[in-house]
Amino acid sequence: MLTKDLAICIRATDFSETSQIVTFFTRENGKISAIAKGAKRPKSKFDGPIEVFAHGKIVFSDSNKEKLATLTEFQQQPGFANLNQNLFVLHCCLFAVELLNSMTGDCDPHPGLFDSFLQFLENLDAIRDTQYAIRDATSLLIQFQLSLLKEVGLMPVLDACVNCKTRYGSRATPALSEVEGSDKFYFSSSANGLICRDCEASFPDKIRLSKKAAGCLGNRELLADADEKTLNEIERVLIHHFTEILHHQPKMAKHVLVTGEW
Ligand SMILES: [Zn+2]
């Protein structure tokens, strides 16, 4: 049986002199691995060797968890030509794809996550190599990471203390950072969310957060406009969180932090 789908290549390895094994994140069928026979031949029907982030319509046969599918068609859309122009932007993409691959299972569809990931790549591709490139890329990476956590059912609680439910503000109320007397904020990976100063003693794994970072985490608009230092702090917390979830530090993690030793 042939299946049609939209797909983004998230991994490609050589299988023989002319063939590749390609892992696609597809919109309707989730993650699938397929053999692309003849992909490396000069006149390949897949428009040449398939590279990571190549995307478009695919047709494949016989996919299941035990067996490789066979790729029969791949109509590649124009690639993301700018991702290679800025090393930091490229590292953000590679980190995102590593997380996507680690956090999703085979043949487990997440159409919303597919759309978010494609949009994330398009947005990063639109970044130009200016003084704002790192800030903009980090902001987009954080938003994608939050979408990823949400899609796989692990969204942290970011607008209230996860333990005592004290709200950290919303659009209608002052942001967490504006609440008088609140100057200590924490994130706990084991609790999966923000922790207030009254509860922090019960969570030994907590990480201290600045007021600004805590405020931005609970508010997408603040997050989109946050400064580079705050975004870097949030990214550090998210890397810690993904490391706890995956029980290992993602390989690309150290390449998306701007400052400091790891
Ligand atoms: Zn609390």
Side-chain angles (χ1 to χ4, degrees):
M1 200 182 82
L2 292 177
T3 308
K4 290 182 188 174
D5 208 338
L6 294 171
I8 304 168
C9 171
I10 60 171
R11 194 178 142 89
T13 50
D14 289 348
F15 177 67
S16 68
E17 220 158 279
T18 56
S19 300
Q20 290 176 287
I21 306 263
V22 182
T23 305
F24 287 107
F25 189 61
T26 70
R27 191 169 193 283
E28 307 297 336
N29 293 275
K31 198 163 68 180
I32 62 147
S33 291
I35 182 158
K37 288 177 189 161
K40 291 163 67 193
R41 287 212 175 90
K43 285 186 180 174
S44 141
K45 60 180 172 178
F46 309 121
D47 303 329
I50 300 168
E51 295 179 355
V52 174
F53 308 130
H55 68 292
K57 285 182 191 164
I58 62 168
V59 181
F60 60 95
S61 64
D62 299 332
S63 170
N64 62 46
K65 283 187 185 180
E66 283 76 44
K67 196 167 153 233
L68 276 181
T70 302
L71 187 69
T72 59
E73 281 181 45
F74 184 23
Q75 297 169 23
Q76 293 198 36
Q77 293 292 306
F80 300 112
N82 285 309
L83 295 183
N84 289 325
Q85 301 299 308
N86 179 306
L87 192 61
F88 187 81
V89 167
L90 181 64
H91 285 162
C92 286
C93 293
L94 292 171
F95 183 39
V97 89
E98 181 185 357
L99 290 177
L100 180 74
N101 197 7
S102 310
M103 300 284 294
T104 55
D106 292 340
C107 307
D108 180 18
H110 289 282
L113 183 56
F114 176 90
D115 295 343
S116 302
F117 186 54
L118 191 57
Q119 187 66 57
F120 167 74
L121 293 176
E122 282 169 0
N123 289 341
L124 280 179
D125 194 52
I127 289 179
R128 291 299 168 259
D129 203 359
T130 66
Q131 56 176 319
Y132 304 111
I134 288 178
R135 195 220 75 90
D136 293 352
T138 308
S139 172
L140 291 166
L141 176 64
I142 291 168
Q143 292 174 61
F144 172 72
Q145 288 168 307
L146 293 175
S147 300
L148 173 61
L149 289 169
K150 187 172 174 215
E151 282 288 337
V152 300
L154 294 173
M155 185 64 186
V157 174
L158 298 173
D159 60 351
C161 170
V162 68
N163 193 49
C164 70
K165 315 298 179 208
T166 298
R167 282 193 66 77
Y168 276 149
S170 64
R171 271 180 216 168
T173 57
L176 165 66
S177 47
E178 291 158 19
V179 176
E180 205 179 332
S182 303
D183 57 353
K184 288 185 177 160
F185 311 98
Y186 303 86
F187 180 87
S188 161
S189 200
S190 65
N192 199 33
L194 295 181
I195 296 289
C196 75
R197 61 177 176 172
D198 297 333
C199 298
E200 57 95 3
S202 312
F203 297 90
D205 71 322
K206 74 208 169 238
I207 297 179
R208 178 93 183 258
L209 281 174
S210 71
K211 272 186 182 185
K212 254 190 184 175
C216 289
L217 264 175
N219 184 319
R220 290 281 180 125
E221 283 161 32
L222 288 180
L223 189 59
D225 293 334
D227 59 80
E228 189 179 310
K229 186 167 169 272
T230 305
L231 292 170
N232 199 46
E233 182 189 349
I234 293 173
E235 185 51 48
R236 198 172 279 275
V237 170
L238 285 174
I239 288 173
H240 164 81
H241 190 45
F242 279 108
T243 301
E244 292 296 308
I245 293 171
L246 296 168
H247 306 297
H248 69 267
Q249 191 190 103
K251 271 189 274 176
M252 288 304 297
K254 58 182 177 289
H255 299 292
V256 299
L257 290 173
V258 180
T259 51
E261 311 74 52
W262 179 246

Coordinates of all heavy atoms in Angstrom, one line a residue, residues 188-255:
S188 N 11.5 23.8 38.6 CA 11.9 22.5 39.0 C 11.5 21.5 37.9 O 10.4 21.5 37.5 CB 11.2 22.1 40.3 OG 11.2 20.7 40.4
S189 N 12.5 20.8 37.5 CA 12.3 19.8 36.4 C 11.4 18.6 36.9 O 10.5 18.2 36.2 CB 13.6 19.3 35.9 OG 13.5 18.7 34.7
S190 N 11.7 18.2 38.1 CA 10.9 17.1 38.7 C 9.4 17.5 38.9 O 8.5 16.7 38.7 CB 11.5 16.6 40.0 OG 11.4 17.6 41.0
A191 N 9.2 18.7 39.3 CA 7.8 19.2 39.5 C 7.2 19.6 38.2 O 6.0 19.8 38.1 CB 7.8 20.4 40.4
N192 N 8.0 19.8 37.1 CA 7.5 20.2 35.8 C 6.9 21.6 35.8 O 5.8 21.8 35.3 CB 6.6 19.2 35.1 CG 6.5 19.4 33.6 OD1 7.5 19.8 33.0 ND2 5.4 19.2 33.0
G193 N 7.6 22.6 36.4 CA 7.1 23.9 36.3 C 7.8 24.9 37.3 O 8.8 24.6 37.9
L194 N 7.2 26.1 37.3 CA 7.7 27.1 38.2 C 7.4 26.8 39.7 O 6.3 26.2 40.0 CB 7.2 28.5 37.8 CG 7.6 29.0 36.5 CD1 6.9 30.4 36.2 CD2 9.1 29.1 36.3
I195 N 8.2 27.2 40.6 CA 8.1 27.0 42.0 C 8.3 28.4 42.7 O 9.2 29.1 42.4 CB 9.1 26.0 42.5 CG1 8.9 24.6 41.9 CG2 9.1 25.9 44.0 CD1 7.7 23.9 42.3
C196 N 7.4 28.7 43.6 CA 7.5 30.0 44.3 C 8.5 29.9 45.5 O 8.9 28.8 45.9 CB 6.1 30.5 44.7 SG 5.5 29.6 46.2
R197 N 8.8 31.0 46.1 CA 9.8 31.0 47.2 C 9.3 30.3 48.4 O 10.1 29.8 49.2 CB 10.2 32.4 47.5 CG 9.0 33.3 48.0 CD 9.5 34.7 48.4 NE 8.3 35.5 48.7 CZ 8.4 36.7 49.3 NH1 9.6 37.2 49.5 NH2 7.3 37.3 49.6
D198 N 7.9 30.2 48.6 CA 7.4 29.5 49.8 C 7.5 28.0 49.6 O 7.5 27.3 50.6 CB 6.0 29.9 50.0 CG 5.8 31.3 50.3 OD1 6.8 31.9 50.8 OD2 4.7 31.9 50.0
C199 N 7.6 27.5 48.4 CA 7.6 26.1 48.1 C 9.0 25.5 47.8 O 9.2 24.3 47.8 CB 6.7 25.7 47.0 SG 4.9 26.1 47.3
E200 N 9.9 26.4 47.5 CA 11.2 26.0 46.9 C 12.0 25.0 47.7 O 12.6 24.1 47.2 CB 12.1 27.2 46.5 CG 12.4 28.1 47.6 CD 13.7 27.8 48.3 OE1 14.4 26.9 47.8 OE2 14.1 28.5 49.3
A201 N 11.8 25.1 49.1 CA 12.6 24.2 49.9 C 12.3 22.7 49.7 O 13.1 21.9 50.0 CB 12.3 24.6 51.4
S202 N 11.1 22.4 49.2 CA 10.7 21.0 49.0 C 11.2 20.5 47.7 O 11.0 19.3 47.4 CB 9.2 20.9 49.0 OG 8.6 21.6 50.0
F203 N 11.9 21.3 46.9 CA 12.3 20.8 45.5 C 13.8 21.0 45.4 O 14.3 22.1 44.9 CB 11.6 21.6 44.5 CG 10.1 21.3 44.5 CD1 9.2 22.1 45.3 CD2 9.6 20.2 43.9 CE1 7.9 21.8 45.4 CE2 8.2 19.9 44.0 CZ 7.4 20.7 44.7
P204 N 14.6 20.0 45.8 CA 16.1 20.2 45.8 C 16.6 20.4 44.4 O 17.7 20.9 44.3 CB 16.6 18.9 46.4 CG 15.4 18.1 46.9 CD 14.2 18.7 46.3
D205 N 15.9 20.0 43.4 CA 16.5 20.1 42.0 C 16.2 21.5 41.4 O 16.5 21.7 40.2 CB 15.9 19.0 41.1 CG 14.4 19.3 40.8 OD1 13.7 19.7 41.7 OD2 14.0 19.0 39.6
K206 N 15.6 22.4 42.2 CA 15.2 23.7 41.6 C 16.4 24.5 41.0 O 17.5 24.3 41.5 CB 14.5 24.5 42.6 CG 15.5 25.1 43.6 CD 14.9 25.3 45.0 CE 16.0 25.6 46.0 NZ 16.1 24.7 47.1
I207 N 16.1 25.3 40.1 CA 17.0 26.2 39.5 C 16.5 27.6 39.8 O 15.3 27.9 39.5 CB 17.2 26.0 38.0 CG1 17.7 24.7 37.7 CG2 18.1 27.1 37.4 CD1 17.9 24.4 36.2
R208 N 17.3 28.5 40.2 CA 16.9 29.9 40.5 C 16.7 30.6 39.1 O 17.5 30.4 38.2 CB 18.0 30.6 41.3 CG 17.7 32.1 41.6 CD 17.0 32.3 42.9 NE 16.7 33.7 43.1 CZ 17.4 34.5 43.9 NH1 18.4 34.0 44.5 NH2 17.0 35.8 44.0
L209 N 15.7 31.4 39.0 CA 15.4 32.2 37.8 C 15.4 33.6 38.1 O 15.0 34.0 39.2 CB 14.0 31.8 37.2 CG 13.8 30.5 36.5 CD1 12.3 30.4 36.2 CD2 14.6 30.6 35.2
S210 N 15.8 34.5 37.2 CA 15.7 35.9 37.4 C 14.2 36.2 37.2 O 13.4 35.5 36.6 CB 16.5 36.7 36.3 OG 15.9 36.5 35.0
K211 N 13.8 37.4 37.8 CA 12.4 37.9 37.6 C 12.0 37.9 36.2 O 10.9 37.5 35.8 CB 12.3 39.3 38.1 CG 12.1 39.5 39.5 CD 11.9 41.0 39.7 CE 11.7 41.4 41.2 NZ 11.4 42.8 41.4
K212 N 12.9 38.5 35.3 CA 12.5 38.6 33.9 C 12.3 37.3 33.3 O 11.3 37.1 32.5 CB 13.7 39.3 33.2 CG 13.5 40.8 32.9 CD 14.6 41.2 32.0 CE 14.5 42.6 31.6 NZ 15.6 43.1 30.8
A213 N 13.2 36.4 33.5 CA 13.1 35.1 32.9 C 11.8 34.4 33.3 O 11.1 33.8 32.5 CB 14.3 34.2 33.2
A214 N 11.5 34.4 34.6 CA 10.2 33.8 35.1 C 9.0 34.4 34.4 O 8.1 33.7 34.0 CB 10.2 33.9 36.6
G215 N 9.1 35.8 34.3 CA 7.9 36.5 33.7 C 7.8 36.1 32.2 O 6.6 35.9 31.8
C216 N 8.9 36.0 31.5 CA 8.8 35.6 30.1 C 8.3 34.2 29.8 O 7.6 34.0 28.9 CB 10.2 35.8 29.4 SG 10.7 37.5 29.3
L217 N 8.7 33.3 30.7 CA 8.3 31.9 30.5 C 6.8 31.7 30.5 O 6.3 30.9 29.7 CB 8.9 31.0 31.6 CG 10.2 30.4 31.3 CD1 10.8 29.6 32.5 CD2 10.1 29.4 30.1
G218 N 6.1 32.5 31.3 CA 4.7 32.4 31.3 C 3.9 33.3 30.3 O 2.7 33.3 30.3
N219 N 4.6 34.0 29.5 CA 4.0 34.9 28.6 C 4.7 35.0 27.2 O 5.8 35.5 27.1 CB 4.0 36.3 29.2 CG 3.2 37.3 28.4 OD1 3.3 37.4 27.2 ND2 2.5 38.2 29.1
R220 N 4.0 34.4 26.2 CA 4.6 34.3 24.9 C 5.0 35.6 24.3 O 5.9 35.7 23.5 CB 3.7 33.5 23.9 CG 3.5 32.1 24.3 CD 4.7 31.3 23.7 NE 4.5 29.9 24.0 CZ 4.6 28.9 23.1 NH1 4.8 29.1 21.9 NH2 4.5 27.6 23.5
E221 N 4.2 36.7 24.6 CA 4.5 38.0 24.0 C 5.8 38.5 24.6 O 6.6 39.1 23.9 CB 3.3 38.9 24.2 CG 2.2 38.7 23.3 CD 0.9 39.3 23.7 OE1 0.9 40.4 24.3 OE2 -0.2 38.7 23.5
L222 N 5.9 38.4 25.9 CA 7.1 38.9 26.6 C 8.3 38.1 26.1 O 9.4 38.6 25.8 CB 7.0 38.7 28.1 CG 6.1 39.7 28.9 CD1 6.2 39.3 30.4 CD2 6.5 41.1 28.7
L223 N 8.1 36.8 25.9 CA 9.2 35.9 25.4 C 9.7 36.3 24.0 O 10.9 36.4 23.8 CB 8.6 34.5 25.4 CG 9.6 33.4 25.1 CD1 10.7 33.3 26.2 CD2 8.8 32.0 25.1
A224 N 8.7 36.7 23.2 CA 9.1 37.1 21.8 C 10.0 38.3 21.8 O 10.8 38.5 20.9 CB 7.8 37.2 20.9
D225 N 9.7 39.2 22.8 CA 10.5 40.5 22.8 C 11.6 40.5 23.8 O 12.3 41.6 23.9 CB 9.5 41.6 23.2 CG 8.4 41.8 22.1 OD1 8.7 41.5 20.9 OD2 7.3 42.3 22.4
A226 N 11.9 39.4 24.5 CA 12.9 39.4 25.5 C 14.3 39.7 25.0 O 14.6 39.5 23.8 CB 12.8 38.1 26.3
D227 N 15.1 40.2 25.9 CA 16.5 40.5 25.5 C 17.3 39.2 25.5 O 16.9 38.2 26.0 CB 17.2 41.5 26.4 CG 17.2 41.0 27.9 OD1 18.1 40.2 28.2 OD2 16.3 41.4 28.6
E228 N 18.5 39.3 24.8 CA 19.3 38.1 24.6 C 19.8 37.4 25.9 O 19.8 36.2 26.0 CB 20.5 38.5 23.8 CG 21.3 37.3 23.3 CD 22.6 37.8 22.4 OE1 22.4 38.6 21.5 OE2 23.7 37.3 22.7
K229 N 20.1 38.2 26.9 CA 20.6 37.6 28.1 C 19.5 36.8 28.8 O 19.7 35.7 29.3 CB 21.0 38.8 29.1 CG 21.7 38.4 30.3 CD 22.3 39.6 31.0 CE 22.8 39.3 32.4 NZ 21.7 39.5 33.4
T230 N 18.3 37.4 28.8 CA 17.1 36.7 29.4 C 16.8 35.4 28.7 O 16.6 34.3 29.3 CB 15.9 37.6 29.5 OG1 16.2 38.8 30.1 CG2 14.7 36.9 30.2
L231 N 16.9 35.5 27.4 CA 16.6 34.3 26.5 C 17.6 33.2 26.8 O 17.3 32.0 26.8 CB 16.5 34.7 25.0 CG 15.3 35.6 24.7 CD1 15.5 36.1 23.2 CD2 14.0 34.8 24.8
N232 N 18.8 33.6 26.9 CA 19.9 32.7 27.1 C 19.7 32.0 28.5 O 19.9 30.8 28.6 CB 21.3 33.4 27.1 CG 22.4 32.5 26.9 OD1 22.4 31.6 26.0 ND2 23.5 32.7 27.7
E233 N 19.3 32.7 29.5 CA 19.0 32.1 30.8 C 17.8 31.1 30.7 O 17.9 30.0 31.2 CB 18.6 33.2 31.8 CG 18.3 32.7 33.2 CD 17.7 33.8 34.1 OE1 17.7 35.0 33.8 OE2 17.3 33.3 35.2
I234 N 16.8 31.4 29.9 CA 15.7 30.5 29.8 C 16.1 29.3 29.0 O 15.8 28.1 29.4 CB 14.5 31.2 29.0 CG1 13.9 32.3 29.9 CG2 13.4 30.2 28.6 CD1 12.9 33.2 29.2
E235 N 16.9 29.5 28.0 CA 17.4 28.3 27.2 C 18.2 27.4 28.1 O 18.1 26.2 28.0 CB 18.3 28.8 26.0 CG 18.7 27.7 25.1 CD 17.6 26.8 24.6 OE1 16.5 27.3 24.2 OE2 17.8 25.6 24.7
R236 N 19.0 28.0 29.0 CA 19.8 27.1 29.9 C 18.9 26.3 30.8 O 19.1 25.1 31.0 CB 20.6 28.1 30.8 CG 21.8 27.5 31.5 CD 22.6 28.6 32.2 NE 23.5 29.3 31.3 CZ 24.7 28.8 31.0 NH1 25.1 27.7 31.5 NH2 25.5 29.4 30.1
V237 N 17.8 26.8 31.2 CA 16.8 26.1 32.0 C 16.1 25.0 31.2 O 16.0 23.9 31.7 CB 15.7 27.1 32.6 CG1 14.6 26.3 33.3 CG2 16.4 28.0 33.6
L238 N 15.8 25.3 30.0 CA 15.2 24.3 29.1 C 16.1 23.2 28.8 O 15.7 22.0 28.8 CB 14.6 25.0 27.8 CG 13.4 25.8 28.0 CD1 13.0 26.5 26.7 CD2 12.2 25.0 28.4
I239 N 17.4 23.5 28.6 CA 18.3 22.4 28.3 C 18.4 21.5 29.5 O 18.5 20.3 29.4 CB 19.7 23.0 28.0 CG1 19.7 23.6 26.6 CG2 20.8 22.0 28.0 CD1 20.9 24.4 26.1
H240 N 18.5 22.1 30.7 CA 18.5 21.3 31.9 C 17.3 20.4 32.0 O 17.4 19.2 32.3 CB 18.5 22.3 33.2 CG 18.2 21.6 34.4 ND1 19.1 20.9 35.2 CD2 17.0 21.5 35.1 CE1 18.5 20.4 36.2 NE2 17.2 20.8 36.3
H241 N 16.1 21.0 31.6 CA 14.9 20.2 31.7 C 14.9 19.1 30.7 O 14.5 18.0 31.0 CB 13.7 21.2 31.4 CG 12.4 20.6 31.7 ND1 12.1 19.9 32.8 CD2 11.2 20.7 30.9 CE1 10.8 19.5 32.7 NE2 10.2 20.0 31.6
F242 N 15.3 19.3 29.5 CA 15.3 18.3 28.5 C 16.3 17.2 28.9 O 16.1 16.0 28.6 CB 15.7 18.8 27.1 CG 14.5 19.4 26.3 CD1 14.3 20.8 26.2 CD2 13.5 18.6 25.8 CE1 13.2 21.3 25.5 CE2 12.4 19.1 25.2 CZ 12.2 20.5 25.0
T243 N 17.4 17.6 29.5 CA 18.4 16.7 30.0 C 17.8 15.7 31.0 O 18.1 14.5 31.0 CB 19.7 17.4 30.5 OG1 20.2 18.3 29.5 CG2 20.7 16.5 31.0
E244 N 17.0 16.3 31.9 CA 16.4 15.5 32.9 C 15.3 14.5 32.3 O 15.3 13.3 32.6 CB 15.6 16.4 33.9 CG 16.6 17.2 34.8 CD 17.4 16.3 35.7 OE1 16.9 15.5 36.4 OE2 18.7 16.5 35.7
I245 N 14.6 15.0 31.3 CA 13.5 14.2 30.7 C 14.2 13.0 29.9 O 13.7 11.9 29.9 CB 12.7 15.0 29.7 CG1 11.8 16.1 30.5 CG2 11.8 14.2 28.9 CD1 11.1 17.1 29.6
L246 N 15.3 13.4 29.2 CA 15.9 12.3 28.3 C 16.9 11.5 29.0 O 17.4 10.5 28.4 CB 16.5 13.0 27.1 CG 15.6 13.8 26.1 CD1 16.4 14.7 25.2 CD2 14.7 12.8 25.3
H247 N 17.3 11.9 30.2 CA 18.3 11.2 31.0 C 19.7 11.3 30.3 O 20.6 10.5 30.6 CB 18.0 9.7 31.2 CG 16.6 9.6 31.9 ND1 16.3 10.1 33.1 CD2 15.5 9.0 31.5 CE1 15.1 9.8 33.4 NE2 14.5 9.1 32.4
H248 N 19.8 12.2 29.4 CA 21.2 12.5 28.9 C 21.1 14.0 28.3 O 20.1 14.4 27.9 CB 21.6 11.5 27.8 CG 20.9 11.6 26.6 ND1 19.8 10.9 26.3 CD2 21.0 12.4 25.5 CE1 19.3 11.2 25.1 NE2 20.0 12.2 24.6
Q249 N 22.3 14.6 28.3 CA 22.3 15.9 27.7 C 22.3 15.8 26.2 O 23.1 15.1 25.6 CB 23.6 16.6 28.2 CG 23.6 18.1 27.8 CD 24.9 18.7 28.1 OE1 25.7 19.0 27.1 NE2 25.3 19.0 29.3
P250 N 21.4 16.5 25.6 CA 21.3 16.5 24.1 C 22.7 17.0 23.5 O 23.3 17.9 24.1 CB 20.2 17.5 23.8 CG 19.4 17.6 25.0 CD 20.3 17.4 26.1
K251 N 23.1 16.3 22.5 CA 24.5 16.6 21.9 C 24.7 18.1 21.5 O 25.7 18.6 21.7 CB 24.7 15.7 20.7 CG 25.3 14.4 21.0 CD 25.7 13.6 19.8 CE 24.6 12.8 19.2 NZ 24.8 12.1 18.0
M252 N 23.6 18.6 20.9 CA 23.8 20.0 20.4 C 23.6 21.1 21.4 O 23.7 22.3 21.1 CB 22.7 20.2 19.2 CG 23.0 19.5 17.9 SD 24.7 19.8 17.3 CE 24.6 21.6 16.9
A253 N 23.2 20.7 22.6 CA 22.9 21.7 23.7 C 23.9 22.7 23.9 O 23.6 23.9 23.9 CB 22.5 21.0 25.0
K254 N 25.2 22.3 24.0 CA 26.2 23.3 24.3 C 26.4 24.3 23.2 O 27.1 25.3 23.4 CB 27.5 22.6 24.7 CG 28.1 21.7 23.6 CD 29.3 21.0 24.1 CE 29.9 20.0 23.1 NZ 29.1 18.8 23.0
H255 N 25.9 24.0 22.0 CA 26.1 24.9 20.9 C 25.1 26.1 20.8 O 25.2 26.9 19.9 CB 26.2 24.2 19.6 CG 27.3 23.2 19.5 ND1 28.6 23.5 19.4 CD2 27.2 21.8 19.5 CE1 29.3 22.4 19.4 NE2 28.5 21.4 19.5

